[in-house]
Amino acid sequence: QPMIDSEPTSLGQTPLPASMRIVSALKLLGGVAEKALVLGRAEEAERILQQVLFDLRGRAREGVSFDAQTLETGAKLGARLAGATLKPSWVTYCFELYVSVGRPLPAPAVDELYNVVRKVKGVDPKSLRGYVAVLRAEQASFGPADKFLLQRLEGLQQLL
């Protein structure tokens, strides 16, 4: 069934495109979820974030472009959820989100993943291998910082 890019609103308001709703929801819910994580409520944080993070990944896969801050927030929250819930699917989420844009994960997310993969068991190494393969194909267009991040991601493969 086709995805609807905007939802009707009441009172004659112009509907927001789905991508803008995702950005707004991520900003709002990210702060609430961060507080839940600080309080040790991993399941609550996951429940709060799951749908918006899945929507972000889904739209990115469809080719919808998001600003770097939104993507970084999504990746950092995914990595935080992986560490808090110990679910390997959140580690995979980070790679899947960024494979759509063909860029390395931002340094804070890579740092978080280095901490997380030591604790989370059962991460499928194929997701990272596929992501690294996409990045290697794009690396000619990378600057020094992105090349360094690619090297760190290659190092992460050794931990998996």
Side-chain angles (χ1 to χ4, degrees), residues 30-158:
V32 175
E34 284 285 356
K35 288 178 184 164
L37 287 169
V38 167
L39 295 173
R41 298 180 182 157
E43 292 76 23
E44 183 180 336
E46 183 179 42
R47 183 182 49 75
I48 291 167
L49 288 172
Q50 185 167 326
Q51 191 58 54
V52 70
L53 289 176
F54 288 174
D55 289 347
L56 175 63
R57 180 183 60 193
R59 291 296 174 150
R61 282 178 171 164
E62 292 169 2
V64 174
S65 61
F66 290 94
D67 62 285
Q69 184 63 47
T70 298
L71 292 169
E72 181 172 341
T73 299
K76 284 193 298 192
L77 289 170
R80 292 280 319 272
L81 285 174
T85 65
L86 301 180
K87 291 182 179 176
S89 58
W90 287 114
V91 174
T92 303
Y93 170 88
C94 296
F95 306 138
E96 290 174 348
L97 177 61
Y98 267 79
V99 80
S100 332
V101 295
R103 305 299 305 172
L105 281 153
V110 174
D111 293 343
E112 186 75 25
L113 287 170
Y114 262 89
N115 294 327
V116 165
V117 297
R118 290 179 172 92
K119 297 187 292 187
V120 178
K121 303 296 177 229
V123 176
D124 183 359
K126 286 186 289 192
S127 62
L128 178 55
R129 270 199 304 268
Y131 174 49
V132 167
V134 166
L135 294 178
R136 284 183 183 140
E138 299 290 325
Q139 73 180 343
S141 67
F142 292 175
D146 282 347
K147 286 180 180 173
F148 176 70
L149 288 169
L150 173 56
Q151 288 175 343
R152 296 220 41 227
L153 289 164
E154 289 169 337
L156 196 58
Q157 284 182 296
Q158 306 310 313

